[in-house]
Amino acid sequence: MTWFADIYFVFWREMKRYFAHKTRIVTAVFQPLVWLVLLGSAMSGMVGGSMAKDLSEAENYLQFMTPGIMVMTALFSGMFSGNSLIWDRRIGFLNKMLAAPISRTTIPTGKVAAAAIQSMIQMVIIAAIATALGVRFTSGPLGLVLMVLIAGLFCCGISAISLSFAVFIKTPEGLHPILNFLSMPLLFTSNAIFPRAFMPGWLQGISAVNPMTYAVTPMRVLALEGWRWESVMPGLVFTLFFAAAACYLLSWVFGQHIR
Amino acid sequence: MENMIQVVHLTKIYSGQVMAVRDVSFSVGEGETFGLLGPNGAGKTTIIMILTTLLKPTSGTARVAGIDVRENPYGVRLKLGYVSQDLAVDDNLTGWDNLYLQANFYHLPKNIIKKKCAEVLRLVGLEKRADDLVETYSGGMRKRLDLAAGLLHEPRALFLDEPTLGLDVQTRQQIWKYIEFLRSEKKMTVLLTTHYMEEAEKLCDRAAIIDRGEIKAIDAPDRLKEAIGGDLITISFSPGEEEKQEKALKAIEELPFVNGIESRQKNYVLLVKNSEKAIPSLFQVLNETGVKVENLNLKKPTLADVYLHFTGQELRDESWSKEQAIKSAAMRKRIRG
Ligand SMILES: Nc1ncnc2c1ncn2[C@@H]1O[C@H](COP(=O)(O)OP(=O)(O)O)[C@@H](O)[C@H]1O
Ligand SMILES: [Mg+2]
């Protein structure tokens, strides 16, 4: 059982670091909020409330956007987590952990868990602010919990991918372009911000294979339509598999290349 | 005495081309403080990283507490403490949290963690700053915290990579005090690397002189100094008079008690047996050639001289410029004739 204890302490460290700098949490929440409020309002005005309702069954665009923005938060937190490995390597902390009698796999696992929990904290804050702005979640508080869990799982997957890159890439300057190169297409070819109905056919095709879409869809069902399990399940299961596959990849890469 | 650390024919080649460690063998007895002394790039860190299971050797074997680093790295990790040359403390945690984390990584029993953390904090004099974020610490405080983290679980073998690199004199002396405490009170086996002579001289029971991945000599610092075969007399001539100087040097070289002669910058260093008795005859020779001596100085050898003797190079922080290196090689050649 020391394996779980070791993961816990890797996780504990990441969380301590997270809470040591509260301003970072504020900025991490602020950016998605700007997207939500500005883009949400602009799109509502542009497409008109009724059209948005037709296309997405949402009362207004803000309600439609909130789940998407939550997944976007998960995307950015997850992408960012590779940095912590690069930083640990640079300051020698990685070697310090590797010289300790803890299993190798506990290090990436603890980091993935911390990225997910951090993104979930940010999502709860965003959901609270969205509620204050008048957004209602049709499936109620429990539905919101499940939404946060789905986005958290998605964050695990993205974090594992980011950390896998960080195993090979030794500098932040090297990692950031790759992460940007991945995040933007993932975001804009998903249905996080624009309803798939708005997209041209080729983009709908890409969107259908984008893992982000599979996280957004069940969350949006929970937010707008309520507990329709038959629509929630496929996305939930897919996201679970996505996270598991990415974590498996990470533990393999880590085991192979970090002695 | 049982060997705590044993290294046999160890070789490490990085990416198939850089031979950082070349057929190195040594052993460190239980309770001994052993130093690897050499300049930057000598391969000291590579050896420590192999012993702490962070790197795999290309060939050869290494054992810590009788356990082979390749066969059972986890077993080795249970025995060792490691303080790297990188100041590996987490700036975003408090001093206390850094130690608490380390204590849990080493699976100290829950009921003693607080006591042990407080104990090592007191040892390194950081108890008052324990609850501050490490980012507010000075370099010396970070190093002390890092050292405290390495001691927390009272490892059987402690590896210290350049423990006083870049520290001010006061902090360096404090750290020396802790290391001496570990030997005398805790009977810990310590392997440290350094490129500071005084450090090896002050702390180590035995030291290995390492240069470009090879060990040139291993012994107690005093014995190493004896091994170079005499005291050192440094002569500097007045400028000009090149011819007279050459003649004087030739004559000096022929004196029976002179074991060697070398140029260092503008000076000539003689390796001399029974130096007190030899000085009069030396003066006589100098007088006969009529060369003007600006300065003459006699001293007992230090480890720095031992280093120079075994490697043919000065031990320095930075490497020399290419120009300097060529010049000094040319000088030496001239003198040896
Ligand atoms: N990861 C690496 N890849 C290639 N060469 C390396 C690597 N690490 C160290 N070296 C080389 O190995 C030699 C020994 O390095 P190191 O063990 O760090 O020496 P020291 O600690 O004595 O300064 C140096 O020439 C260094 O450039
Ligand atoms: Mg080094």
Side-chain angles (χ1 to χ4, degrees):
Chain A
M1 285 307 94
T2 61
W3 193 70
F4 286 107
D6 294 342
I7 290 176
Y8 171 74
F9 283 104
V10 174
F11 168 81
W12 177 88
R13 163 172 178 249
E14 298 291 335
M15 295 312 286
K16 279 268 173 179
R17 289 162 63 85
Y18 182 68
F19 287 117
H21 294 280
K22 306 263 182 335
T23 50
R24 277 188 215 156
I25 307 177
V26 173
T27 30
V29 170
F30 188 72
Q31 194 191 5
L33 272 181
V34 169
W35 281 67
L36 180 65
V37 173
L38 291 188
L39 208 60
S41 315
M43 293 298 284
S44 300
M46 209 154 72
V47 299
S50 63
M51 191 179 171
K53 187 168 177 155
D54 288 347
L55 286 170
S56 56
E57 308 198 13
E59 290 297 318
N60 57 37
Y61 205 76
L62 215 56
Q63 188 181 16
F64 172 85
M65 279 262 295
T66 303
I69 291 295
M70 287 168 70
V71 181
M72 187 182 99
T73 309
L75 174 72
F76 289 161
S77 301
M79 283 294 181
F80 200 65
S81 72
N83 265 327
S84 80
L85 184 61
I86 288 179
W87 194 247
D88 280 355
R89 183 188 285 116
R90 190 171 274 194
I91 66 167
F93 209 90
L94 181 62
N95 276 344
K96 194 177 195 167
M97 291 193 282
L98 292 173
I102 61 175
S103 151
R104 295 305 196 239
T105 51
T106 61
I107 297 167
T109 312
K111 282 185 184 291
V112 166
I117 297 291
Q118 288 165 11
S119 80
M120 286 158 82
I121 291 169
Q122 283 153 218
M123 282 186 263
V124 168
I125 299 172
I126 288 166
I129 294 173
T131 309
L133 293 175
V135 171
R136 292 293 167 265
F137 300 98
T138 313
S139 54
L142 267 181
L144 181 61
V145 170
L146 185 57
M147 285 169 68
V148 170
L149 283 174
I150 294 169
L153 272 178
F154 175 71
C155 181
C156 285
I158 295 294
S159 162
I161 290 171
S162 170
L163 285 161
S164 302
F165 277 109
V167 166
F168 299 103
I169 296 160
K170 309 274 155 71
T171 64
E173 300 78 37
L175 186 65
H176 286 172
I178 295 177
L179 298 184
N180 277 332
F181 183 80
L182 286 176
S183 328
M184 288 305 141
L186 269 175
L187 181 61
F188 288 111
T189 66
S190 79
N191 57 351
I193 291 169
F194 307 110
R196 282 188 70 196
F198 283 19
M199 297 176 181
W202 61 272
L203 197 52
Q204 284 192 15
I206 297 175
S207 178
V209 294
N210 182 340
M212 194 156 173
T213 300
Y214 287 87
V216 173
T217 304
M219 288 171 65
R220 196 160 274 153
V221 169
L222 287 165
L224 305 182
E225 299 169 36
W227 291 99
R228 285 186 46 216
W229 279 110
E230 71 281 11
S231 310
V232 172
M233 259 336 216
L236 175 59
V237 171
F238 182 95
T239 306
L240 201 63
F241 273 107
F242 168 65
C247 287
Y248 181 77
L249 169 81
L250 172 61
S251 66
W252 184 77
V253 165
F254 203 87
Q256 289 286 307
H257 296 277
I258 298 202
R259 300 138 310 242
Chain B
M1 191 167 53
E2 184 68 17
N3 279 333
M4 182 56 85
I5 299 165
Q6 183 138 33
V7 172
V8 183
H9 297 307
L10 193 69
T11 294
K12 174 70 188 179
I13 302 172
Y14 283 111
S15 13
Q17 37 192 355
V18 184
M19 196 183 251
V21 175
R22 195 183 293 255
D23 193 23
V24 159
S25 301
F26 65 89
S27 55
V28 182
E30 193 162 0
E32 192 176 21
T33 300
F34 186 88
L36 289 172
L37 178 65
N40 284 337
K44 306 181 296 295
T45 298
T46 304
I47 293 174
I48 286 223
M49 286 179 75
I50 290 170
L51 284 165
T52 51
T53 74
L54 296 170
L55 274 181
K56 295 248 179 303
T58 306
S59 65
T61 56
R63 292 171 173 275
V64 177
I67 306 166
D68 190 298
V69 293
R70 236 195 296 220
E71 280 164 17
N72 183 5
Y74 187 84
V76 171
R77 282 178 215 138
L78 287 171
K79 306 285 179 192
L80 65 84
Y82 170 52
V83 182
S84 73
Q85 65 186 3
D86 305 318
L87 266 186
V89 287
D90 191 335
D91 276 6
N92 296 303
L93 301 182
T94 63
W96 179 271
D97 285 345
N98 266 284
L99 293 178
Y100 181 74
L101 192 63
Q102 185 85 355
N104 281 293
F105 281 159
Y106 281 86
H107 308 122
L108 294 193
K110 277 233 149 15
N111 53 336
I112 67 160
I113 287 181
K114 273 197 175 158
K115 200 180 116 241
K116 285 305 296 182
C117 288
E119 185 186 311
V120 292
L121 275 169
R122 217 173 319 112
L123 175 72
V124 300
L126 284 174
E127 64 271 46
K128 289 211 184 73
R129 297 293 305 274
D131 294 330
D132 296 340
L133 286 184
V134 172
E135 63 187 11
T136 66
Y137 286 19
S138 69
M141 291 165 73
R142 280 166 210 228
K143 191 75 218 186
R144 273 144 61 201
L145 180 66
D146 201 12
L147 193 62
L151 304 177
L152 197 56
H153 58 290
E154 301 209 353
R156 302 250 321 235
L158 181 63
F159 295 88
L160 304 175
D161 200 355
E162 311 258 12
T164 65
L165 184 66
L167 296 180
D168 59 275
V169 177
Q170 198 193 350
T171 314
R172 174 176 301 174
Q173 281 171 352
Q174 278 173 340
I175 289 189
W176 286 355
K177 219 178 61 200
Y178 309 143
I179 296 173
E180 281 174 338
F181 167 82
L182 296 178
R183 174 175 48 185
S184 58
E185 301 298 314
K186 301 279 177 183
K187 315 282 181 226
M188 226 177 250
T189 306
V190 178
L191 185 135
L192 63 86
T193 74
T194 183
H195 63 257
Y196 298 120
M197 296 292 172
E198 327 85 270
E199 191 157 290
E201 215 158 350
K202 186 154 171 56
L203 299 176
C204 299
D205 297 312
R206 285 186 310 137
I209 290 176
I210 178 166
D211 186 37
R212 288 170 219 189
E214 278 180 290
I215 289 190
K216 304 287 186 178
I218 304 182
D219 216 327
D222 284 343
R223 298 264 294 274
L224 284 172
K225 284 185 261 177
E226 280 166 26
I228 85 174
D231 298 335
L232 297 160
I233 295 178
T234 308
I235 302 178
S236 52
F237 296 116
S238 304
E241 304 192 318
E242 296 269 322
E243 250 172 58
K244 280 188 188 170
Q245 287 173 17
E246 297 245 353
K247 234 170 85 192
L249 289 170
K250 276 249 160 62
I252 290 170
E253 213 168 11
E254 267 145 38
L255 291 172
F257 49 80
V258 173
N259 276 350
I261 178 164
E262 264 188 85
S263 84
R264 291 192 203 169
Q265 279 116 32
K266 287 192 175 132
N267 303 329
Y268 296 93
V269 179
L270 320 181
L271 194 56
V272 177
K273 269 184 299 199
N274 296 328
S275 55
E276 284 85 355
K277 286 191 183 131
I279 279 187
S281 359
L282 186 63
F283 271 119
Q284 201 181 342
V285 169
L286 288 170
N287 264 336
E288 276 167 13
T289 51
V291 71
K292 282 208 194 77
V293 175
E294 204 164 62
N295 209 322
L296 189 143
N297 158 302
L298 163 71
K299 66 165 189 173
K300 301 280 166 195
T302 64
L303 267 195
D305 302 306
V306 176
Y307 188 82
L308 190 61
H309 177 78
F310 282 109
T311 67
Q313 296 177 68
E314 298 257 15
L315 181 60
R316 12 167 223 278
D317 269 359
E318 258 92 328
S319 41
W320 281 5
S321 72
K322 205 172 165 188
E323 217 172 290
Q324 274 174 307
I326 292 169
K327 228 164 98 186
S328 103
M331 275 279 236
R332 231 175 280 142
K333 217 167 161 185
R334 230 185 75 204
I335 291 173
R336 289 198 185 123

